[in-house]
Every structure is written in structure tokens, then in C-alpha cells.
Amino acid sequence: MRAALRRAVRALLAGLLLSAPVLAAAGPAFGARAADRPVVETDRGAVRGRAHARYRTFEGIPYAAPPVGALRWRPPVPPARWQGVRDAGAPGARCVQFPAIGPGGPSGSEDCLFLNVTSPAVGVRRPVMVWFHGGGFVNGAGDLYRPQRLAAAGGAVVVTVNYRLGVFGLFGHPALGGAPDSTLCDQQAALRWVRANAAVFGGDPGNVTVFGESAGGLSVCVHLTSPASAGLFHRAIVQSGSCSTTMPPRALLPELGAYEPFVPERRTVADGAAAAARLGCGRPEPAAELECLRGLDTGRLATPELMQRFSLVSYGNALLPVEPRRALQEGRFHRVPVIQGADRDEMRIFLGQTLAVYPVADDQAYRARLYTSFGESAPRVEAAYPASAYPTPALALATVLTDVSFVCPTLRDGRALGRHVPTYLYRFDDREAPNYTGLPGVPGFPYGASHGFELTYLFDTPFALSGPQRALADRMAGYWVRFARTGDPNGPGAPRWKVSPPASVLSLAPGPAGIHPVDASAEHHCALWESRGGADGKADS
């Protein structure tokens, strides 16, 4: 049981939690009338989508050639032109991945570079929002997210994107010249497709917002700091995946080290050379090794170990020359307005999965856990987060891990961004939000406003929201789309969202006074974590 749990937790942490296994709502039934099947001419050929009452969908559109055979681990190239009208009434294949939850083997295809467009039924020059899904860079797909609320009510053209995952997207090897981060190259190719094609879907190619959550948020961080993304977008929204996101060592299980999503390229290249030898492709010449690896079938590479090992983004290359958190601190990022935020109880969903075998049953166990993660700083951490101030010691630990891993890094990056561009910070605070993950609850350990729980407020899902929660969802969608349209989320009738700095964080919660400013830095003891991290904001443990 312990080994299985360890594998599951590593999968959760491979690049930040999971995709949305139960997020996508079932679509309506469609008739066959010509009026229900609009046709749009893209730069590679015509596509036939689906018409709905207030929006249109075009799914499974290829934005790059299949990255198979000689194109495995190469930068994406444009797809071949097609004759006639291509059906775009259903999503394309998802990229190779393992189930986000539960047992099972790999699914999906290497031929997976598809995107989906949801646009308002009428209108031109709408703001375009490009969504990069979460899933730890090891699972997920664009079609899991249904953006009808943003398109029909908000008036945005929304594009959701598949991109290569795990070993197929973040592999490194000497013969590749390093670790080219194909995952992020795919996303940039999708943004170039948007620039070329947004107008025919009613969008404005000169007004593109990139947004994403978890690994998708980390992706947005990369595009903010990657020279290769210059000019491909004009606004950015980072949800629960800041450039400074980290996790302290042994936070969830004794054998787990610190989690950092960005690693030096040399580490990935060394891992790639070692993997080649284990796969029987060891050769005297790197080029021969790579040729052997490209000759392996998908199943030989799609193993849990390889998918998770190659789920970290490499820096020190042409795409990402500098570690993103340091690039932000040095002001080396694209000058676009930014929304950035985190959920109030981010780490509860992670910690809850380990409590059965690694419990935090009492104050003594809590204190021991603090020492394993924070060493000599543990007494200071315990003084700021005494177990007696929380319903249980486990919830105290979850709060500590949330603050050090997510909230305070988000605020730190917000300050760096705010020195140069309009920056709007939020904290999602609905502790009654639906558990979208499909993970079982833990008695006595409510998940609250945990990692990813804000997604049901932005995308159409099968979950029922209360009246106040629906009002919050409308407010959030309004903020997001107004920001995409103008670079400022504020509008008539909505509580004002102040630009940062000064340190101003907008609490997003249901109810008449649920949306209001908070002093998140004080509430989350960020001064403590800054003092531990030193000038560069990195923990010393």
C-alpha cells in the first residue's frame, strides 16, 4: 500500500496535481441541419464546427503536424493543408498519458496536437483567451474544459490546447542539443496558429490573453519569461502556478524531496542519457542513441517512471534562458498586464491523500513534521502556526504548506511583476466549493478552497452551484473577460479590484461581502517565509 501511495503522490506532484477528470460537462445533442454546422476557412483548410444557441464550437483542429517518427522531440511544424472541409465536431486525440486518478495503463496518442475553439455566436474582434490545461505536465487535455460561460456570456473567443506531456514533451538528450522543452514549443505553435486564424472565428489576433492553472499556470509563467514568446500574447492570467512555486522536502511523505518545477537543463539531459541506456539504446554516439529512441514504440516510453521523471521544465536553453522566478525578480519578462492568484487552501487536497499512511494525529507529530521539512526554522514556523489555532494538527500543517508553497510565492512574484506592469492579485476563498477532482474526502479534513477548486467558477461543469456561488462565478468570469478585453478587470457593478502594488489582494468568495480586499501577506505570514528564503526567495531547507 505504501508503494502504491508513493507512486500516486509522485504522480500528483509531477508538475502540480492533476487535470480535471470530472470537470467537463456533457455537451448537448446535435442535429444534422446545415445551419447547425458552420464552416470556417483556416489557413490550412476549411473546418466544420457545431452551432449552439449562444456560441459555436470547432474541436479537434490540428495546429501542428503529428510529432511522430523523425518528428518525435522536434519543435512542432505546421500541419499539411487539407482538401475539402475537415470535420471539427469532436475533440481530437489526447496526448499520451496515464489516468489522473486510479489504476490503468497509458492512453492517448502521440498524434495529439489539436486545439478547440469556442466563440460567441455573433460578433467580430472579440478578445481571444488561450487556455493551457493543468495536469502536472503528465496528463490532461484541452477538451476537458468547457468555456461556454466565458464565450457566451463574456464575449470572448476561447481556445483550449493539447500539448505533449511527460517524456514526449520534456525529454532531454545530448543529440537534441539539450532539453528543448517541446511541451512549451507546442504551446507557442498554438499561439502562432491563433495569430494566423483568430479573426475567422470572430477574434482579435492583436488581443490575446494566455491563461492556465497549475501546470497551465506554470506554462503562462514560462511564456512571460521566454524570449521566444515575445509578441504572441498581450495579457496573462496565472492561476495556482506562479514562477516561484515550490514545495519543501518531505512535506507529504518522508521519501519525497523538495518539489521545484523548473530545473537546469543539464539535469534533464543527464536523465535522458541514463534513460536511453536503460531502454537498450546505449550507443557510442549520441545521434545513434537518439535514432534508437525514436524507433521505440509509444508503449516503451509511456511508463509511469519516464512520464514523471520528464515532467519538469528545463531552463538554461534558448526557450528559457533563465530560471523563471529569477527572471521575474530581475525584470526580464514581457511587459503585459497580469492577473495572478492562488486558492486559500491549496495544499489540503495533496496532504489529504497521504494522511492514512503518514498521519498528523497530534501536536507531537505536527512538530516532528515541521522539523523534517524546515529544520532549525521549525520553532519559528510553529510559533506562527500553533496547532492550537486550528481544528486539527493536520489542518495546521496544510496551512503551513499552502503558505510556503503557493500563496507567498504568488505574492512575491506579484510584487516583482507590479514594479513594471499592471498586476491584479486574487485569493480564491470559497471553502464550500465543489470538489472537482474526483478524489475521495477525508473525515475530519475538509478540502476547503483547495488546489484547482476555482475552475468550476470559470468553466461549465456538471457540478451544481448555489445561488451565491453562481453569482461569484459570474463575477469571476466578468473579471477574467474584461481583463482580456482591456487589461483591466474592473467594470460597472462589480467590486473594484485594485492594481498592485501596494499590496492589495482581492478575496473571491460568495455572498454579499464575499469579494473584498485582504492583507494576504499578513494573513499568510509571508514575512516569515521571506526571511527564510533570503534575497532570492528560495527556501533554505
Side-chain angles (χ1 to χ4, degrees):
M1 178 180 178
R2 182 63 169 264
L5 180 63
R6 183 170 59 251
R7 288 193 298 271
V9 171
R10 286 188 184 278
L12 289 176
L13 297 180
L16 287 182
L17 199 58
L18 36 82
S19 65
V22 291
L23 188 63
F30 302 108
R33 295 180 303 151
D36 294 335
R37 303 301 309 275
V39 174
V40 165
E41 187 75 36
T42 76
D43 65 339
R44 313 308 288 181
V47 293
R48 178 179 287 112
R50 304 276 188 184
H52 311 259
R54 301 175 61 198
Y55 61 93
R56 303 180 302 167
T57 56
F58 300 84
E59 299 182 294
I61 303 174
Y63 68 86
V68 299
L71 295 182
R72 182 186 276 170
W73 299 311
R74 291 194 185 278
V77 298
R81 296 181 182 275
W82 57 84
Q83 300 297 316
V85 180
R86 181 186 179 101
D87 185 73
R94 296 173 181 174
C95 293
V96 179
Q97 60 193 273
F98 282 81
I101 298 174
S107 63
S109 170
E110 287 190 72
D111 180 3
C112 65
L113 299 186
F114 301 101
L115 53 74
N116 315 292
V117 180
T118 303
S119 65
V122 295
V124 295
R125 298 192 69 80
R126 302 279 192 171
V128 182
M129 303 181 72
V130 181
W131 174 255
F132 298 128
H133 65 79
F137 297 120
V138 294
N139 56 50
D143 66 276
L144 286 167
Y145 300 83
R146 298 295 182 178
Q148 291 94 313
R149 180 180 293 123
L150 298 172
V157 174
V158 185
V159 181
T160 65
V161 180
N162 290 358
Y163 52 82
R164 279 175 278 183
L165 301 168
V167 68
F168 301 99
L170 294 171
F171 183 69
H173 191 273
L176 290 171
D181 289 330
S182 300
T183 289
L184 288 312
C185 292
D186 291 347
Q187 295 176 1
Q188 290 169 340
L191 290 171
R192 289 191 291 272
W193 184 95
V194 167
R195 184 170 58 189
N197 293 284
V200 298
F201 295 94
D204 181 358
N207 188 7
V208 175
T209 295
V210 289
F211 70 135
E213 183 268 344
S214 194
L218 295 174
S219 298
V220 175
C221 158
V222 168
H223 296 303
L224 278 168
T225 58
S226 170
S229 295
L232 294 178
F233 64 99
H234 311 90
R235 333 226 187 270
I237 302 175
V238 183
Q239 300 175 213
S240 298
S242 74
C243 291
S244 293
T245 298
T246 60
M247 200 171 297
R250 298 169 294 280
L252 301 178
L253 290 173
E255 57 269 40
L256 289 179
Y259 168 75
E260 294 181 356
F262 304 108
V263 297
E265 182 181 65
R266 63 182 179 275
R267 169 179 159 179
T268 305
V269 172
D271 285 346
R278 292 196 303 273
L279 289 164
C281 286
R283 302 288 189 274
E285 296 296 328
E289 276 194 357
L290 186 60
E291 181 180 4
C292 174
L293 290 167
R294 286 196 169 119
L296 298 179
D297 63 38
T298 302
R300 288 288 307 280
L301 294 168
T303 67
E305 192 276 333
L306 288 175
M307 292 295 285
Q308 292 169 25
R309 180 168 295 278
F310 296 99
S311 64
L312 304 174
V313 176
S314 299
Y315 64 86
N317 51 36
L319 187 143
L320 199 58
V322 179
E323 186 180 7
R325 67 177 181 84
R326 196 172 296 280
L328 286 194
Q329 295 299 323
E330 295 173 357
R332 300 167 64 175
F333 61 88
H334 303 302
R335 298 298 194 256
V336 300
V338 178
I339 285 177
Q340 180 162 291
D343 295 353
R344 184 177 190 136
D345 304 306
E346 292 273 2
M347 286 295 296
R348 289 191 188 185
I349 197 75
F350 296 94
L351 185 62
Q353 306 313 304
T354 67
L355 291 176
V357 297
Y358 195 27
V360 189
D362 53 32
D363 291 7
Q364 183 177 355
Y366 172 59
R367 187 171 298 115
R369 293 287 289 269
L370 295 181
Y371 271 95
T372 62
S373 290
F374 303 111
E376 63 183 20
S377 298
R380 294 170 58 204
V381 176
E382 186 178 9
Y385 300 83
S388 60
Y390 301 88
T392 67
L395 288 170
L397 181 60
T399 304
V400 169
L401 297 177
T402 290
D403 292 358
V404 68
S405 302
F406 283 95
V407 176
C408 295
T410 293
L411 299 184
R412 181 187 310 128
D413 284 359
R415 290 196 302 273
L417 290 161
R419 288 196 290 266
H420 302 278
V421 298
T423 303
Y424 300 88
L425 302 177
Y426 74 87
R427 185 182 71 193
F428 178 74
D429 275 347
D430 185 5
R431 285 181 153 165
E432 301 300 322
N435 173 10
Y436 85 99
T437 66
L439 292 167
V442 178
F445 190 82
Y447 289 148
S450 199
H451 187 73
F453 280 26
E454 86 282 7
L455 294 175
T456 57
Y457 295 74
L458 295 172
F459 295 94
D460 286 59
T461 78
F463 296 104
L465 299 177
S466 68
Q469 288 175 324
R470 287 196 302 272
L472 174 62
D474 291 341
R475 290 286 195 206
M476 289 176 60
Y479 282 136
W480 264 235
V481 175
R482 281 192 297 272
F483 175 79
R485 183 178 296 116
T486 69
D488 184 336
N490 293 292
R496 184 154 186 82
W497 192 343
K498 295 181 179 179
V499 70
S500 298
S504 178
V505 177
L506 195 67
S507 169
L508 299 173
I515 301 179
H516 62 277
V518 295
D519 186 351
S521 182
E523 291 182 21
H524 296 270
H525 303 286
C526 292
L528 166 65
W529 303 116
E530 292 292 331
S531 69
R532 286 190 67 256
D536 66 0
K538 210 165 192 177
D540 56 23
S541 294

